[in-house]
Amino acid sequence: MTIYGPYDQILPEILSLTTERIKRLNQQVVDNNQPKLYEHLIARVKTPESMAEKCTRKGYPVTTESALRKCRDAVGIRIVCNFIDDIERCLVQLRQADWCQIIKEKDYITNAKPNGYRSYHIIINETVPYRDVDGNKPGSFYVEIQLRTIAMDSWASLEHEMKYKHNITDAERIGRELKRCADQLASCDVQMQTIRQLINSADKEE
Ligand code: 0O2
């Protein structure tokens, strides 16, 4: 048994339930003749090893309770959008959804991290048909949702990969280049948004 204890089998089920719920939100929007909310979703359960490492790093006991209640990203979904405005459109839908409540928001888009990382993180408290660590059924579980554009996502993937390369000799320069790249991509996101608005207003005038 892992740090997730009896939840080893249940977390993947919560992950797929949440994914389906988000896909349904998107379908409702599309059925209403609005553009799709996102380009694609990436869903994962944090590996038990990575979760145990996180608990230790944060000074929590390495227990199921810490993994599911203190850390709140055992179940994580990344919503990758075409345009910056789509992130806000997703948030509007999630705020209205009756199956979850947003309990924490971190806006790394307005306030990018010093290394250039951009993304919008929320923690939701979701009701699911499983017994939770407090013994309630239906139970409530935390899910972390990261919302970002394709450009932000490609940058984060590259930067994440760099973290695991131990033979880098010029880390400072690479950090500077990565930051510059993040800023250029952010500027492209704004340009793309403007182009989309121009196309939309041209459509309306026809
Ligand atoms: P993985 O495998 O992606 O899950 P908390 O203090 O608990 O509220 P937490 O979770 O420590 O917050 O930090 P935060 O900043 O809210 O989010 C952490 C997650 O965001 C990371 O998860 C990454 O997915 C992503 N992230 C945050 N900063 C960076 C960054 O600088 N670069 C990249 N590439 N990703 C980042 P994990 O647990 O690291 O890994």
Side-chain angles (χ1 to χ4, degrees):
M1 206 179 273
T2 75
I3 186 170
Y4 296 130
Y7 296 97
D8 262 328
Q9 308 301 321
I10 292 171
L11 294 183
E13 292 184 28
I14 294 174
L15 183 70
S16 79
L17 175 65
T18 316
T19 306
E20 281 315 308
R21 284 171 161 172
I22 294 173
K23 284 184 179 171
R24 221 172 295 140
L25 287 181
N26 182 50
Q27 195 52 52
Q28 283 163 5
V29 167
V30 172
D31 289 347
N32 254 339
N33 297 320
Q34 299 296 314
K36 63 183 176 184
L37 291 175
Y38 55 80
E39 172 53 34
H40 62 275
L41 301 176
I42 301 165
R44 65 102 182 95
V45 173
K46 204 179 191 74
T47 64
E49 296 74 25
S50 175
M51 178 52 80
E53 183 277 319
K54 180 168 183 172
C55 289
T56 308
R57 181 163 35 91
K58 298 244 173 202
Y60 305 143
V62 182
T63 60
T64 305
E65 218 271 336
S66 302
L68 299 187
R69 286 291 191 232
K70 291 196 157 70
C71 298
R72 295 181 289 190
D73 63 345
V75 177
I77 295 178
R78 195 166 285 152
I79 302 182
V80 183
C81 300
N82 279 320
F83 299 96
I84 312 173
D85 278 9
D86 292 340
I87 294 174
E88 185 52 37
R89 293 174 62 232
C90 287
L91 286 167
V92 167
Q93 293 298 322
L94 287 163
R95 287 187 185 113
Q96 288 170 358
D98 57 8
W99 46 268
C100 74
Q101 197 189 1
I102 299 178
I103 56 154
K104 188 172 176 183
E105 306 194 23
K106 279 194 197 170
D107 184 355
Y108 293 125
I109 296 178
T110 309
N111 304 301
K113 283 195 167 183
N115 63 357
Y117 177 75
R118 286 172 173 81
S119 190
Y120 199 103
H121 296 186
I122 60 173
I123 304 289
I124 60 168
N125 196 7
E126 184 177 2
T127 308
V128 295
Y130 304 103
R131 194 172 301 284
D132 65 24
V133 280
D134 299 320
N136 300 315
K137 188 178 176 186
S140 98
F141 285 81
Y142 295 122
V143 175
E144 184 193 61
I145 302 180
Q146 300 181 347
L147 302 109
R148 44 172 92 148
T149 63
I150 294 172
M152 293 172 197
D153 191 50
S154 62
W155 182 93
S157 301
L158 181 61
E159 195 265 356
H160 190 261
E161 199 183 302
M162 300 299 297
K163 279 188 191 152
Y164 294 97
K165 299 248 184 278
H166 298 296
N167 53 349
I168 289 173
T169 48
D170 203 354
E172 205 174 301
R173 174 163 179 219
I174 292 173
R176 263 200 320 275
E177 294 295 339
L178 271 171
K179 169 77 170 65
R180 201 199 320 237
C181 187
D183 294 344
Q184 283 169 353
L185 288 169
S187 154
C188 283
D189 267 339
V190 173
Q191 266 175 285
M192 292 286 279
Q193 184 68 56
T194 308
I195 295 168
R196 182 200 220 184
Q197 273 155 6
L198 287 170
I199 292 171
N200 284 349
S201 34
D203 276 352
K204 277 185 201 140
E205 276 167 25
E206 262 179 20

